[in-house]
């Protein structure tokens, strides 16, 4: 898998990729991807996979043909780090300061990175690159050229927020979860109405030791925060201490807590405590029989954070912790939580988003084992408790993105798109799978390998 963590030094464009198979005639649009792609900066580079400089990708599909281009997101971090060949901003697990004295004297003016290398979202006509710091960067979806920092009209105090906002397709209101660190730490959700750039905060809660948040869950009437016992020990240490994520500590003696809020009023309705687990990604949640069924990828602890340091990823002996797609059935008010393991060793879960907040059936993700974190794609049928696998030797797929066919009558009527690295051939390709039978429909090949990405979206033409 090492090629997937190598630096890409230049962006490039390739038209009319060679295609094996046949692309469905109805599939027209742009697969936009985001992820870390440059890790080396002269003598000193980034320490963690999540720190690499953002590279945007566009697989443009039109009338059975595929054009590809990529472009580095020209954040301030990208411009300064590449110019000076050193780390200029504090990021997820990398820091421009070396020793303790440098940290103390530089603490007050160190800035957090604007390297938005995690995800992509769309607000109206604006396409934004996101990370967990509150500095989204707008880019042109066709050319991938950077437009600049995107600004809202409010002045919310935000230290971090999740890179996975939710959109309620019924109301077109978008939501996200925010953390604010200071003398008093707090977490809250905000809602953003369509055609507005003013975020409205609600469901605020003061927390002494806020936990690391990468995503959250939402249903038609409720919004749920998942607090894992991977917590910030002291907020002031963020000013003078280690890189961001190294200020969080795992406490196995504590529980994971689900906080259920009314989505309309913001009122806290219930707190449900379950045995400790760690998570990055929620898959889906919906209401049924006065309960919330919440599906989430869980780990036994937070060791996956250390596993994803680049020095560990470059070791063939580094084991990957097990992960589980787990369903928690939460009473909307009070009562007993039930738990069910749906599937093992799945990550980067995606669904047909038309079924978000609904009683759904299918989850798509990347699968792996304790030696390779992702070496196949997986489709999980939650209702029948069965799964389908796509796997090829020497191939490492990225996040699967579901695209529904225009006349879809079933939840899985469509295709699944994934960018795959062939380690043996040293090239990447766009894989198009029939979402129902999970068999190949087409492959569009690039001449060279791409670094592993994280998340993205498909925008239909």
């Amino acid at each position: 898998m090492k090629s997937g963590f190598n630096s890409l030094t230049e962006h490039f464009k390739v038209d009319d990729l060679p295609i094996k198979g046949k692309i469905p005639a109805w599939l027209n649009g742009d697969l936009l991807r985001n992820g870390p792609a440059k890790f080396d900066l002269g003598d000193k580079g980034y320490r963690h996979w999540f720190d690499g400089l953002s590279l945007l990708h566009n697989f443009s599909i039109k009338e059975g043909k595929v054009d590809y281009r990529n472009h580095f997101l020209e954040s301030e971090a990208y411009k300064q780090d590449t110019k000076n060949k050193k780390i200029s901003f504090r990021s997820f697990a990398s820091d421009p300061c070396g020793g303790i004295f440098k940290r103390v004297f530089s603490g007050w003016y160190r800035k957090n990175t604007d390297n938005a290398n995690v995800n992509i979202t769309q607000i109206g006509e604006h396409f934004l690159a996101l990370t967990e710091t509150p500095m989204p960067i707008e880019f042109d979806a066709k050319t991938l050229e950077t437009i600049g920092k995107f600004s809202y009209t409010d002045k919310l105090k935000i230290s971090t927020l999740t890179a996975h906002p939710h959109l309620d397709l019924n109301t077109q209101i978008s939501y996200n979860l925010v953390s604010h660190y200071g003398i008093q730490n707090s977490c809250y959700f905000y809602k953003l109405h369509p055609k507005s750039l003013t975020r409205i905060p609600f469901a605020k809660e003061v927390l002494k030791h806020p936990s690391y948040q990468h995503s959250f869950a939402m249903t038609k009437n409720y919004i749920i925060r998942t607090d894992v016992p991977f917590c910030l020990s002291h907020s002031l240490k963020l000013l003078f201490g280690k890189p961001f994520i190294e200020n969080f500590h795992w406490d196995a003696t504590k529980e994971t807590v689900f906080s259920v809020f009314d989505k309309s009023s913001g009122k806290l309705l219930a707190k449900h405590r379950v045995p400790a687990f760690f998570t990055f990604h929620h898959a889906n949640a919906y209401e049924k029989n006065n309960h919330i069924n919440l599906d989430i990828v869980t780990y036994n602890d937070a060791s996956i954070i250390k596993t994803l340091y680049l020095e560990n990823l470059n070791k063939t002996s580094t084991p990957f912790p097990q992960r589980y797609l787990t369903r928690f059935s939460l009473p909307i008010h009070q009562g007993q939580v039930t738990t069910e393991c749906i599937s093992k060793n799945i990550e980067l879960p995606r669904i047909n988003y038309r079924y978000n907040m609904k009683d759904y059936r299918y989850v798509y993700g990347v699968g792996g084992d304790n030696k390779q974190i992702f070496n196949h794609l997986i489709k999980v049928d939650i209702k029948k408790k069965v799964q389908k696998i796509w796997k090829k030797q020497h191939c490492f797929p990225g996040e699967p993105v579901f695209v529904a066919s225009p006349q879809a009558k079933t939840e899985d009527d469509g295709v699944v798109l994934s960018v795959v690295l062939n380690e043996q051939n040293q090239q990447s390709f766009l894989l198009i799978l029939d979402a129902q039978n999970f068999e190949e429909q087409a492959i569009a090949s690039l001449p060279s390998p791409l670094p592993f990405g994280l998340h993205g979206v498909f925008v239909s033409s």
Side-chain angles (χ1 to χ4, degrees), residues 60-239:
S60 183
I61 306 171
K62 185 177 181 181
E63 298 177 350
K65 296 183 177 181
V66 181
D67 296 335
Y68 171 80
R69 69 169 68 219
N70 60 40
H71 203 288
F72 282 101
L73 185 71
E74 295 179 6
S75 60
E76 285 302 313
Y78 172 81
K79 289 185 283 189
Q80 292 197 32
D81 289 7
T82 53
K83 177 183 177 181
N84 301 325
K85 297 187 183 304
K86 64 179 183 180
I87 300 172
S88 305
F89 299 88
R90 183 172 56 174
S91 51
F92 185 81
S94 300
D95 197 308
C97 302
I100 182 66
F101 295 107
K102 288 185 178 180
R103 287 197 183 101
V104 170
F105 287 111
S106 65
W108 286 109
Y109 62 83
R110 277 187 300 157
K111 295 181 179 179
N112 291 323
T113 186
D114 63 346
N115 175 35
N117 64 356
V118 178
N119 204 358
I120 292 169
T121 194
Q122 184 178 1
I123 298 179
E125 299 299 317
H126 306 280
F127 286 87
L128 309 180
L130 305 177
T131 186
E132 293 174 339
T133 53
M135 292 173 276
I137 296 180
E138 185 175 2
F139 65 94
D140 186 294
K142 286 294 182 182
T143 67
L144 303 182
E145 292 182 0
T146 301
I147 295 173
K149 182 180 178 181
F150 185 78
S151 297
Y152 297 93
T153 55
D154 58 75
K155 296 182 180 180
L156 295 183
K157 293 182 178 180
I158 300 175
S159 301
T160 62
L161 72 173
T162 85
H164 294 276
H166 270 302
L167 176 66
D168 187 327
L169 296 177
N170 299 315
T171 63
Q172 291 299 303
I173 297 174
S174 59
Y175 296 81
N176 208 346
L177 173 60
V178 166
S179 297
H180 174 63
Y181 309 132
I183 296 175
Q184 186 181 73
N185 302 314
S186 63
C187 287
Y188 62 89
F189 290 95
Y190 72 70
K191 59 183 70 175
L192 181 66
H193 291 270
K195 300 181 180 179
S196 170
L197 294 180
T198 301
R199 297 165 295 183
I200 302 172
F202 73 105
K204 182 176 180 179
E205 191 171 10
V206 174
L207 300 171
K208 184 176 181 180
H209 299 294
S211 68
Y212 172 70
Q213 303 281 352
H214 187 77
S215 62
F216 63 97
M218 186 173 78
T219 70
K220 179 181 178 181
N221 297 297
Y222 308 101
I223 199 161
I224 304 99
R225 191 183 72 236
T226 305
D227 289 309
V228 299
F230 187 55
C231 299
L232 182 65
S233 58
H234 200 297
S235 58
L236 290 180
K237 288 186 177 181
L238 288 170
L239 291 174

Side-chain angles (χ1 to χ4, degrees), residues 254-410:
K254 294 183 178 180
E255 298 170 301
T256 291
V257 181
F258 295 106
S259 298
V260 181
F261 297 89
D262 183 279
K263 208 162 77 175
S264 177
S265 67
K267 181 181 178 181
L268 176 63
L269 300 178
K271 281 185 177 289
H272 298 291
R273 300 180 182 276
V274 297
F277 68 80
F278 177 79
T279 187
F280 288 116
H281 299 114
H282 293 70
N284 198 8
Y286 63 93
E287 301 160 29
K288 188 174 183 179
N289 299 328
N290 294 317
H291 283 69
I292 296 169
N293 286 337
L294 188 154
D295 298 340
I296 185 172
V297 176
T298 64
Y299 295 80
N300 292 331
D301 55 38
S303 60
I304 183 62
I305 297 287
K306 291 184 178 180
T307 303
L308 297 178
Y309 277 82
L310 292 171
E311 65 175 355
N312 293 326
L313 291 172
N314 285 317
K315 296 176 183 177
T316 57
S317 60
T318 298
F320 290 95
Q322 279 199 325
R323 47 224 174 266
Y324 312 88
L325 180 62
T326 306
R327 169 163 293 182
F328 294 90
S329 186
L330 313 174
I332 292 174
H333 294 284
Q334 300 299 326
Q336 185 68 35
V337 177
T338 60
T339 306
E340 177 188 6
C341 178
I342 298 173
S343 181
K344 293 183 179 180
N345 288 332
I346 181 174
E347 250 295 3
L348 304 180
R350 294 294 296 263
I351 65 170
N352 179 346
Y353 204 74
R354 296 178 185 178
Y355 288 78
N356 189 48
M357 307 189 301
K358 296 179 180 180
D359 189 351
Y360 74 125
R361 182 170 177 176
Y362 302 108
V363 177
Y364 309 90
V366 293
D369 51 36
N370 66 340
K371 293 183 179 179
Q372 296 170 331
I373 190 169
F374 36 77
N375 58 17
H376 63 269
L377 292 170
I378 182 172
K379 174 188 178 183
V380 180
D381 185 330
I382 296 172
K383 305 292 186 185
K384 290 189 175 181
K385 303 294 191 296
V386 296
Q387 57 191 35
K388 288 183 169 68
I389 300 291
W390 177 91
K391 186 175 184 178
K392 274 191 173 181
Q393 194 172 12
H394 309 297
C395 287
F396 303 95
E399 175 194 54
V401 175
F402 177 87
V403 184
S405 64
Q407 306 300 324
K409 294 182 179 180
T410 61

